[in-house]
């Protein structure tokens, strides 16, 4: 019997949820996590006699967690891209300069 290891998927997905605060850049971890889970689950479905039913169920749960992380990061990324595209860069630069001046004082 082969073993499905879900640890990598959970670790990547959890870190990606933490990284979603940085303009959705956690998508760089969530996407590979989802793809790995999807690939392992397809292998398990094609050869069910080689895998335990509990391990297949655990992999489905890990895939769902990875998909949720991917969706959250994707939405955050799209929002951040939209916000950057529609914002006034001079105003952002001025606010940044004011904050920098306040910090220097």
């Amino acid at each position: 019997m082969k073993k499905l290891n879900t640890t990598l998927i959970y670790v990547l997905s959890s870190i990606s949820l933490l990284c979603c605060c940085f303009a959705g850049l956690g998508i760089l971890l969530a996407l590979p996590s989802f793809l790995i889970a999807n690939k392992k689950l397809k292998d398990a479905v094609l050869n069910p006699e080689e895998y335990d039913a509990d391990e297949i169920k655990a992999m489905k749960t890990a895939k769902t967690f990875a998909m949720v992380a991917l969706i959250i990061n994707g939405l955050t990324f799209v929002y951040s891209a939209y916000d950057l595209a529609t914002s006034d860069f001079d105003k952002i630069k001025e606010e940044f300069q004011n904050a920098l001046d306040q910090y220097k004082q």
Side-chain angles (χ1 to χ4, degrees):
M1 287 234 163
K2 292 182 180 179
K3 193 151 172 82
L4 290 173
N5 191 0
T6 59
T7 305
L8 176 65
I9 296 159
Y10 281 123
V11 168
L12 288 175
S13 298
S14 298
I15 294 172
S16 75
L17 283 176
L18 295 173
C19 293
C20 78
C21 300
F22 304 107
L25 291 179
I27 201 167
L28 298 173
L29 296 173
L31 184 62
S33 171
F34 179 75
L35 294 175
I36 291 168
N38 196 33
K39 181 180 181 280
K40 286 186 176 185
L41 195 58
K42 280 184 181 179
D43 290 343
V45 169
L46 290 176
N47 302 314
E49 64 277 350
E50 293 182 13
Y51 298 96
D52 187 29
D54 291 335
E55 291 182 2
I56 294 174
K57 186 176 177 185
M59 184 55 70
K60 285 181 182 178
T61 305
K63 180 183 172 185
T64 303
F65 184 61
M67 184 171 47
V68 168
L70 183 63
I71 290 170
I72 290 171
N73 278 291
L75 290 173
T76 306
F77 182 77
V78 168
Y79 174 76
S80 297
Y82 174 77
D83 193 34
L84 273 175
T86 59
S87 64
D88 184 19
F89 288 110
D90 293 330
K91 191 175 192 180
I92 292 172
K93 193 168 99 173
E94 182 180 318
E95 288 177 11
F96 179 75
Q97 189 63 41
N98 289 339
L100 191 61
D101 291 340
Q102 286 178 357
Y103 176 74
K104 286 181 180 179
Q105 292 176 357

